[in-house]
PDB file of all heavy atoms in Angstrom:
ATOM      1  N   ALA L  86      68.699 -61.590   3.422  1.00 98.00           N
ATOM      2  CA  ALA L  86      69.598 -60.526   2.972  1.00 98.00           C
ATOM      3  C   ALA L  86      69.865 -60.645   1.488  1.00 98.00           C
ATOM      4  O   ALA L  86      69.950 -59.628   0.774  1.00 98.00           O
ATOM      5  CB  ALA L  86      70.903 -60.574   3.754  1.00 98.00           C
ATOM      6  N   ALA L  87      69.984 -61.868   0.973  1.00 98.00           N
ATOM      7  CA  ALA L  87      70.177 -62.075  -0.457  1.00 98.00           C
ATOM      8  C   ALA L  87      68.981 -61.589  -1.255  1.00 98.00           C
ATOM      9  O   ALA L  87      69.102 -60.943  -2.299  1.00 98.00           O
ATOM     10  CB  ALA L  87      70.421 -63.546  -0.728  1.00 98.00           C
ATOM     11  N   PHE L  88      67.777 -61.871  -0.758  1.00 98.00           N
ATOM     12  CA  PHE L  88      66.547 -61.420  -1.372  1.00 98.00           C
ATOM     13  C   PHE L  88      66.574 -59.877  -1.455  1.00 98.00           C
ATOM     14  O   PHE L  88      66.302 -59.300  -2.525  1.00 98.00           O
ATOM     15  CB  PHE L  88      65.342 -61.874  -0.517  1.00 98.00           C
ATOM     16  CG  PHE L  88      63.993 -61.451  -1.106  1.00 98.00           C
ATOM     17  CD1 PHE L  88      63.195 -62.412  -1.726  1.00 98.00           C
ATOM     18  CD2 PHE L  88      63.528 -60.148  -0.995  1.00 98.00           C
ATOM     19  CE1 PHE L  88      61.943 -62.037  -2.243  1.00 98.00           C
ATOM     20  CE2 PHE L  88      62.298 -59.779  -1.519  1.00 98.00           C
ATOM     21  CZ  PHE L  88      61.516 -60.732  -2.132  1.00 98.00           C
ATOM     22  N   ASP L  89      66.892 -59.211  -0.333  1.00 97.00           N
ATOM     23  CA  ASP L  89      66.901 -57.756  -0.307  1.00 97.00           C
ATOM     24  C   ASP L  89      67.940 -57.194  -1.297  1.00 97.00           C
ATOM     25  O   ASP L  89      67.660 -56.205  -1.961  1.00 97.00           O
ATOM     26  CB  ASP L  89      67.230 -57.249   1.125  1.00 97.00           C
ATOM     27  CG  ASP L  89      66.114 -57.557   2.097  1.00 97.00           C
ATOM     28  OD1 ASP L  89      64.952 -57.776   1.660  1.00 97.00           O
ATOM     29  OD2 ASP L  89      66.387 -57.569   3.301  1.00 97.00           O
ATOM     30  N   TRP L  90      69.108 -57.803  -1.365  1.00 98.00           N
ATOM     31  CA  TRP L  90      70.152 -57.305  -2.243  1.00 98.00           C
ATOM     32  C   TRP L  90      69.708 -57.398  -3.701  1.00 98.00           C
ATOM     33  O   TRP L  90      69.857 -56.451  -4.487  1.00 98.00           O
ATOM     34  CB  TRP L  90      71.453 -58.072  -2.036  1.00 98.00           C
ATOM     35  CG  TRP L  90      72.684 -57.311  -2.433  1.00 98.00           C
ATOM     36  CD1 TRP L  90      73.516 -56.614  -1.641  1.00 98.00           C
ATOM     37  CD2 TRP L  90      73.176 -57.143  -3.781  1.00 98.00           C
ATOM     38  NE1 TRP L  90      74.524 -56.020  -2.369  1.00 98.00           N
ATOM     39  CE2 TRP L  90      74.334 -56.315  -3.693  1.00 98.00           C
ATOM     40  CE3 TRP L  90      72.799 -57.570  -5.020  1.00 98.00           C
ATOM     41  CZ2 TRP L  90      75.086 -55.936  -4.799  1.00 98.00           C
ATOM     42  CZ3 TRP L  90      73.529 -57.207  -6.172  1.00 98.00           C
ATOM     43  CH2 TRP L  90      74.663 -56.421  -6.043  1.00 98.00           C
ATOM     44  N   MET L  91      69.151 -58.556  -4.080  1.00 97.00           N
ATOM     45  CA  MET L  91      68.706 -58.725  -5.463  1.00 97.00           C
ATOM     46  C   MET L  91      67.627 -57.697  -5.845  1.00 97.00           C
ATOM     47  O   MET L  91      67.670 -57.141  -6.937  1.00 97.00           O
ATOM     48  CB  MET L  91      68.132 -60.139  -5.676  1.00 97.00           C
ATOM     49  CG  MET L  91      69.073 -61.257  -5.336  1.00 97.00           C
ATOM     50  SD  MET L  91      70.311 -61.536  -6.610  1.00 97.00           S
ATOM     51  CE  MET L  91      70.859 -63.181  -6.195  1.00 97.00           C
ATOM     52  N   PHE L  92      66.685 -57.490  -4.932  1.00 96.00           N
ATOM     53  CA  PHE L  92      65.582 -56.595  -5.245  1.00 96.00           C
ATOM     54  C   PHE L  92      66.019 -55.121  -5.237  1.00 96.00           C
ATOM     55  O   PHE L  92      65.687 -54.349  -6.122  1.00 96.00           O
ATOM     56  CB  PHE L  92      64.446 -56.806  -4.260  1.00 96.00           C
ATOM     57  CG  PHE L  92      63.328 -55.796  -4.432  1.00 96.00           C
ATOM     58  CD1 PHE L  92      62.618 -55.759  -5.610  1.00 96.00           C
ATOM     59  CD2 PHE L  92      63.015 -54.895  -3.409  1.00 96.00           C
ATOM     60  CE1 PHE L  92      61.585 -54.803  -5.813  1.00 96.00           C
ATOM     61  CE2 PHE L  92      62.006 -53.950  -3.607  1.00 96.00           C
ATOM     62  CZ  PHE L  92      61.283 -53.926  -4.775  1.00 96.00           C
ATOM     63  N   GLN L  93      66.802 -54.749  -4.214  1.00 96.00           N
ATOM     64  CA  GLN L  93      67.116 -53.327  -4.029  1.00 96.00           C
ATOM     65  C   GLN L  93      68.346 -52.851  -4.809  1.00 96.00           C
ATOM     66  O   GLN L  93      68.418 -51.692  -5.165  1.00 96.00           O
ATOM     67  CB  GLN L  93      67.310 -53.040  -2.537  1.00 96.00           C
ATOM     68  CG  GLN L  93      66.079 -53.289  -1.694  1.00 96.00           C
ATOM     69  CD  GLN L  93      66.365 -53.311  -0.215  1.00 96.00           C
ATOM     70  OE1 GLN L  93      67.475 -53.018   0.239  1.00 96.00           O
ATOM     71  NE2 GLN L  93      65.344 -53.616   0.579  1.00 96.00           N
ATOM     72  N   ARG L  94      69.300 -53.752  -5.067  1.00 96.00           N
ATOM     73  CA  ARG L  94      70.558 -53.283  -5.581  1.00 96.00           C
ATOM     74  C   ARG L  94      70.979 -53.825  -6.944  1.00 96.00           C
ATOM     75  O   ARG L  94      72.012 -53.431  -7.458  1.00 96.00           O
ATOM     76  CB  ARG L  94      71.671 -53.601  -4.553  1.00 96.00           C
ATOM     77  CG  ARG L  94      71.382 -52.908  -3.207  1.00 96.00           C
ATOM     78  CD  ARG L  94      72.422 -53.188  -2.180  1.00 96.00           C
ATOM     79  NE  ARG L  94      73.758 -52.684  -2.584  1.00 96.00           N
ATOM     80  CZ  ARG L  94      74.843 -52.822  -1.849  1.00 96.00           C
ATOM     81  NH1 ARG L  94      74.802 -53.487  -0.698  1.00 96.00           N
ATOM     82  NH2 ARG L  94      76.010 -52.358  -2.277  1.00 96.00           N
ATOM     83  N   ASP L  95      70.132 -54.710  -7.514  1.00 97.00           N
ATOM     84  CA  ASP L  95      70.437 -55.175  -8.862  1.00 97.00           C
ATOM     85  C   ASP L  95      69.296 -54.785  -9.788  1.00 97.00           C
ATOM     86  O   ASP L  95      68.245 -55.415  -9.793  1.00 97.00           O
ATOM     87  CB  ASP L  95      70.639 -56.680  -8.879  1.00 97.00           C
ATOM     88  CG  ASP L  95      70.940 -57.203 -10.276  1.00 97.00           C
ATOM     89  OD1 ASP L  95      71.428 -56.374 -11.108  1.00 97.00           O
ATOM     90  OD2 ASP L  95      70.709 -58.370 -10.582  1.00 97.00           O
ATOM     91  N   PRO L  96      69.456 -53.772 -10.621  1.00 95.00           N
ATOM     92  CA  PRO L  96      68.395 -53.333 -11.532  1.00 95.00           C
ATOM     93  C   PRO L  96      68.075 -54.380 -12.614  1.00 95.00           C
ATOM     94  O   PRO L  96      67.065 -54.244 -13.292  1.00 95.00           O
ATOM     95  CB  PRO L  96      68.954 -52.072 -12.169  1.00 95.00           C
ATOM     96  CG  PRO L  96      70.152 -51.673 -11.377  1.00 95.00           C
ATOM     97  CD  PRO L  96      70.671 -52.923 -10.762  1.00 95.00           C
ATOM     98  N   PHE L  97      68.902 -55.388 -12.753  1.00 96.00           N
ATOM     99  CA  PHE L  97      68.781 -56.335 -13.813  1.00 96.00           C
ATOM    100  C   PHE L  97      68.082 -57.626 -13.348  1.00 96.00           C
ATOM    101  O   PHE L  97      67.806 -58.528 -14.158  1.00 96.00           O
ATOM    102  CB  PHE L  97      70.147 -56.626 -14.444  1.00 96.00           C
ATOM    103  CG  PHE L  97      70.844 -55.339 -14.790  1.00 96.00           C
ATOM    104  CD1 PHE L  97      71.752 -54.782 -13.909  1.00 96.00           C
ATOM    105  CD2 PHE L  97      70.532 -54.640 -15.915  1.00 96.00           C
ATOM    106  CE1 PHE L  97      72.345 -53.556 -14.161  1.00 96.00           C
ATOM    107  CE2 PHE L  97      71.131 -53.416 -16.205  1.00 96.00           C
ATOM    108  CZ  PHE L  97      72.046 -52.861 -15.313  1.00 96.00           C
ATOM    109  N   SER L  98      67.786 -57.694 -12.038  1.00 96.00           N
ATOM    110  CA  SER L  98      66.944 -58.758 -11.470  1.00 96.00           C
ATOM    111  C   SER L  98      65.528 -58.240 -11.470  1.00 96.00           C
ATOM    112  O   SER L  98      65.276 -57.160 -10.919  1.00 96.00           O
ATOM    113  CB  SER L  98      67.393 -59.136 -10.084  1.00 96.00           C
ATOM    114  OG  SER L  98      68.662 -59.786 -10.105  1.00 96.00           O
TER     115      SER L  98
END
Side-chain angles (χ1 to χ4, degrees):
F88 181 105
D89 292 339
W90 204 99
M91 302 283 198
F92 173 63
Q93 296 168 6
R94 300 180 63 182
D95 180 24
F97 310 95
S98 291

